[in-house]
Amino acid sequence: MSSRLARSATWYLLANLGGSAIPFLALPILTRLLTPEQFGIAALFQAITAVMVALVGLSAPGALNVFYHQRAPEAFPRFVGSALTLVWTSALVLTLLTWLVAALWPGETWLPPEWLALCVVLAALQMVAQVRLAAWQTAGQARPYAAFQLSQAAGNVLLSLGLIATVLPDWRGRATGLLLAALFAAAVALWTLARRQQLRWGADGASLRELLHFGVPLLPHALGGVALANADRFVIAGALDEHAVGLYIAGLQLGMIVQLLADAVNKAYAPWLFGVLARNDAATLRRVVRATYGYFVAITVFALLLGWLAPPLAALVLGPRYAGAEQVVLFIALGGAFHGMYLMVTNYLFYAKKTAVLSRITLSCAVLSVVLALALVHAIGLVGAALAFAISKACFFGATWFFAARHHPMPWRNAFGAAA
């Protein structure tokens, strides 16, 4: 891999590790300021927001990555403007629908109707920031990408802690901090896009059709991905209570270090891989496969090590009120390792434009995740949710690898043999 890839990977790694390290460093404060119940409600607010992110904008940032490499550079600003128009339009419709459904819902909801509607607002603001990040990533500008992501992570944590410690000493302080930080980040995103002439306001029919053509088939994939990542906490909230959700999310944040590391690697790896696939050099492809196998081993070992260190780490970071959270770390870490393996192979389906296949895989594994979580949480409690997460991620990786090998063949079987 080139030195440029290594430099980009370093910046993306810094962004992802810093973006996760900042909330991780704040975790000991949050778990001492908030009870597990309040921590659990805040987690549900973020989980519902994640569902809304899957619906708002129809995967517009991912479309930017593909469009940038397939169209003339002068067409990119108009495409960005069309993507933002799609985000705002879908967010407005979804906000109204969410508030109306929540207001008319006959039973109790985890959050008041106005806060459920604010989940959509937060999702739209986060999507604007993701569009800005996608524009930097496609252009190979890892340094501003890292600075923006780190600033956003620091802002939402500092605002949340300040609000919880002063005027909103419950889950609303965390939710409001997220909203204010996202609002500022979206404003900076729009300003920098316009300043760099990467945004032309408005939309055109051709760009919107291309966005819809890319995003609509990915909608089941996006929703399935959200289900894979969040179904466990909804099941726990329904089967147990908010206290259990708080314990689970606290342990999950420790175990998710593996997945965040994998995401950082993939942000640098994916654009480089697309260039390698376009050149189609047999020797380079064999080296890619060998490196991929090595990555599989390394990330698995890292997950096992994190699970082994979970008890002392949880006691140090979370405090005595969150006793029991450590029991989920091993399976969450292994699930993160399988997610990292999935990222290494899903790029081939994106390159082959087989997003509909990926959607079917994700949706199937999401259903499996929900079924497993329902069965295992009732059977063995919190550990069951973590085990369901790991099994679902393993199936997700295996199925994606199988179809990726069919739609874009790579030398998976002879990477270590003699060249053909």
Side-chain angles (χ1 to χ4, degrees):
M1 295 184 181
S2 66
S3 59
R4 180 180 178 184
L5 173 64
R7 287 194 300 270
S8 295
T10 301
W11 280 110
Y12 289 127
L13 183 62
L14 176 64
N16 267 34
L17 290 182
S20 58
I22 291 169
F24 182 81
L25 293 173
L27 195 57
I29 304 174
L30 280 171
T31 54
R32 285 159 178 84
L33 288 175
L34 296 176
T35 65
E37 290 84 357
Q38 292 295 323
F39 194 79
I41 297 172
L44 289 171
F45 176 83
Q46 292 175 272
I48 295 168
T49 299
V51 175
M52 300 306 177
V53 168
L55 296 171
V56 170
L58 297 175
S59 302
L64 292 179
N65 198 354
V66 175
F67 184 91
Y68 185 87
H69 293 282
Q70 295 182 346
R71 299 292 187 275
E74 58 269 17
F76 189 67
R78 172 61 73 188
F79 197 77
V80 172
S82 298
L84 292 174
T85 300
L86 182 61
V87 168
W88 295 327
T89 304
S90 57
L92 178 60
V93 173
L94 193 56
T95 300
L96 295 173
L97 286 175
T98 301
W99 183 86
L100 183 62
V101 170
L104 297 177
W105 193 260
E108 291 187 4
T109 56
W110 288 310
L111 299 173
E114 61 273 17
W115 283 98
L116 286 171
L118 284 172
C119 288
V120 185
V121 174
L122 177 57
L125 293 172
Q126 290 179 349
M127 186 63 72
V128 172
Q130 287 180 26
V131 168
R132 169 70 274 190
L133 290 170
W136 274 320
Q137 185 185 359
T138 52
Q141 296 176 311
R143 190 176 300 182
Y145 181 106
F148 185 82
Q149 186 159 312
L150 289 172
S151 300
Q152 190 176 8
N156 81 57
V157 167
L158 292 174
L159 283 168
S160 297
L161 291 176
L163 290 168
I164 293 170
T166 55
V167 295
L168 290 171
D170 56 21
W171 65 269
R172 294 174 299 167
R174 178 61 172 146
T176 305
L178 290 166
L179 280 162
L180 292 176
L183 179 62
F184 180 75
V188 172
L190 294 174
W191 178 71
T192 55
L193 282 168
R195 186 170 177 266
R196 296 291 181 182
Q197 298 182 339
Q198 293 178 304
L199 168 61
R200 188 178 301 168
W201 297 102
D204 65 84
S207 295
L208 286 174
R209 283 192 296 272
E210 188 156 0
L211 283 163
L212 292 171
H213 181 73
F214 180 90
V216 170
L218 272 178
L219 186 57
H221 167 68
L223 290 172
V226 170
L228 279 170
N230 296 281
D232 43 14
R233 60 207 72 183
F234 291 120
V235 171
I236 293 169
L240 302 175
D241 53 27
E242 287 82 1
H243 178 92
V245 176
L247 294 181
Y248 182 76
I249 296 301
L252 181 140
Q253 291 196 16
L254 297 179
M256 288 296 285
I257 294 172
V258 179
Q259 183 164 319
L260 291 166
L261 175 66
D263 287 337
V265 172
N266 188 63
K267 281 184 172 66
Y269 176 72
W272 176 86
L273 178 66
F274 292 153
V276 169
L277 296 178
R279 291 192 296 273
N280 197 32
D281 177 71
T284 304
L285 295 180
R286 287 160 59 83
R287 287 196 295 271
V288 167
V289 171
R290 290 196 294 269
T292 302
Y293 285 138
Y295 179 80
F296 289 173
V297 174
I299 199 170
T300 302
V301 171
F302 180 62
L304 293 172
L305 179 62
L306 184 61
W308 180 63
L309 293 172
L313 186 63
L316 175 66
V317 173
L318 303 179
R321 286 198 295 185
Y322 287 78
E326 72 282 350
Q327 60 187 320
V328 307
V329 174
L330 173 61
F331 291 123
I332 296 297
L334 287 173
F338 287 123
H339 179 81
M341 299 177 201
Y342 150 79
L343 290 175
M344 287 293 107
V345 297
T346 192
N347 291 312
Y348 301 106
L349 287 176
F350 278 107
Y351 186 80
K353 298 181 180 178
K354 297 296 182 180
T355 55
V357 173
L358 189 57
S359 289
R360 290 194 291 271
I361 296 170
T362 311
L363 193 59
S364 300
C365 292
V367 172
L368 174 65
S369 174
V370 174
V371 172
L372 285 174
L374 286 168
L376 294 175
V377 167
H378 283 91
I380 54 178
L382 291 183
V383 177
L387 181 58
F389 175 81
I391 294 172
S392 301
K393 287 287 188 177
C395 294
F396 192 35
F397 158 62
T400 304
W401 193 7
F402 174 79
F403 284 101
R406 287 186 58 185
H407 292 288
H408 191 93
M410 290 285 287
W412 297 111
R413 295 184 178 181
N414 64 342
F416 296 96

